[in-house]
Coordinates of all heavy atoms in Angstrom, one line a residue:
K200 N 137.3 153.6 102.5 CA 137.9 152.3 102.6 C 137.0 151.1 102.6 O 137.3 150.1 103.0 CB 138.8 152.3 103.9 CG 139.9 153.3 103.9 CD 140.7 153.2 105.2 CE 141.8 154.3 105.2 NZ 142.5 154.2 106.5
T201 N 135.8 151.3 102.0 CA 134.9 150.2 101.8 C 134.9 149.8 100.3 O 135.3 150.5 99.4 CB 133.4 150.6 102.2 OG1 133.0 151.7 101.4 CG2 133.4 151.0 103.7
A202 N 134.4 148.6 100.1 CA 134.3 148.1 98.7 C 133.3 148.9 97.9 O 133.5 149.2 96.7 CB 133.9 146.6 98.7
L203 N 132.3 149.4 98.6 CA 131.3 150.2 97.9 C 132.0 151.5 97.3 O 131.7 151.9 96.2 CB 130.1 150.5 98.7 CG 129.0 151.4 98.2 CD1 128.4 150.8 97.0 CD2 127.9 151.7 99.2
K204 N 132.8 152.1 98.2 CA 133.4 153.3 97.8 C 134.3 153.1 96.5 O 134.2 153.8 95.5 CB 134.4 153.8 98.9 CG 135.3 154.9 98.6 CD 134.6 156.3 98.6 CE 135.6 157.4 98.6 NZ 134.9 158.7 98.4
K205 N 135.0 152.0 96.5 CA 135.8 151.6 95.3 C 135.0 151.3 94.1 O 135.4 151.7 93.0 CB 136.8 150.5 95.7 CG 137.8 150.2 94.6 CD 138.8 149.1 95.1 CE 139.8 148.9 94.0 NZ 140.9 147.8 94.5
M206 N 133.9 150.7 94.3 CA 133.1 150.3 93.1 C 132.4 151.5 92.5 O 132.3 151.6 91.3 CB 132.0 149.3 93.7 CG 132.5 147.9 94.0 SD 131.4 147.0 95.1 CE 130.1 146.6 93.9
I207 N 132.1 152.5 93.3 CA 131.6 153.8 92.8 C 132.7 154.5 92.0 O 132.5 155.0 91.0 CB 131.0 154.6 93.9 CG1 129.7 153.9 94.4 CG2 130.7 156.0 93.4 CD1 129.1 154.6 95.6
E208 N 133.8 154.6 92.6 CA 135.0 155.3 92.0 C 135.4 154.7 90.7 O 135.8 155.4 89.8 CB 136.2 155.3 93.0 CG 136.0 156.2 94.2 CD 137.1 156.1 95.2 OE1 137.9 155.2 95.1 OE2 137.2 157.0 96.0
T209 N 135.2 153.4 90.5 CA 135.7 152.7 89.3 C 134.5 152.6 88.3 O 134.7 152.0 87.2 CB 136.2 151.3 89.6 OG1 135.2 150.6 90.3 CG2 137.5 151.4 90.4
G210 N 133.3 153.1 88.7 CA 132.2 153.1 87.8 C 131.4 151.8 87.7 O 130.5 151.7 86.9
K211 N 131.7 150.9 88.6 CA 131.0 149.6 88.6 C 129.6 149.7 89.2 O 128.6 149.0 88.9 CB 131.8 148.6 89.4 CG 133.0 148.1 88.7 CD 133.8 147.1 89.5 CE 135.1 146.6 88.9 NZ 135.8 145.7 89.7

Side-chain angles (χ1 to χ4, degrees):
K200 300 179 181 179
T201 59
L203 179 61
K204 173 80 169 174
K205 187 172 182 180
M206 290 163 71
I207 290 174
E208 288 175 343
T209 57
K211 292 180 180 178

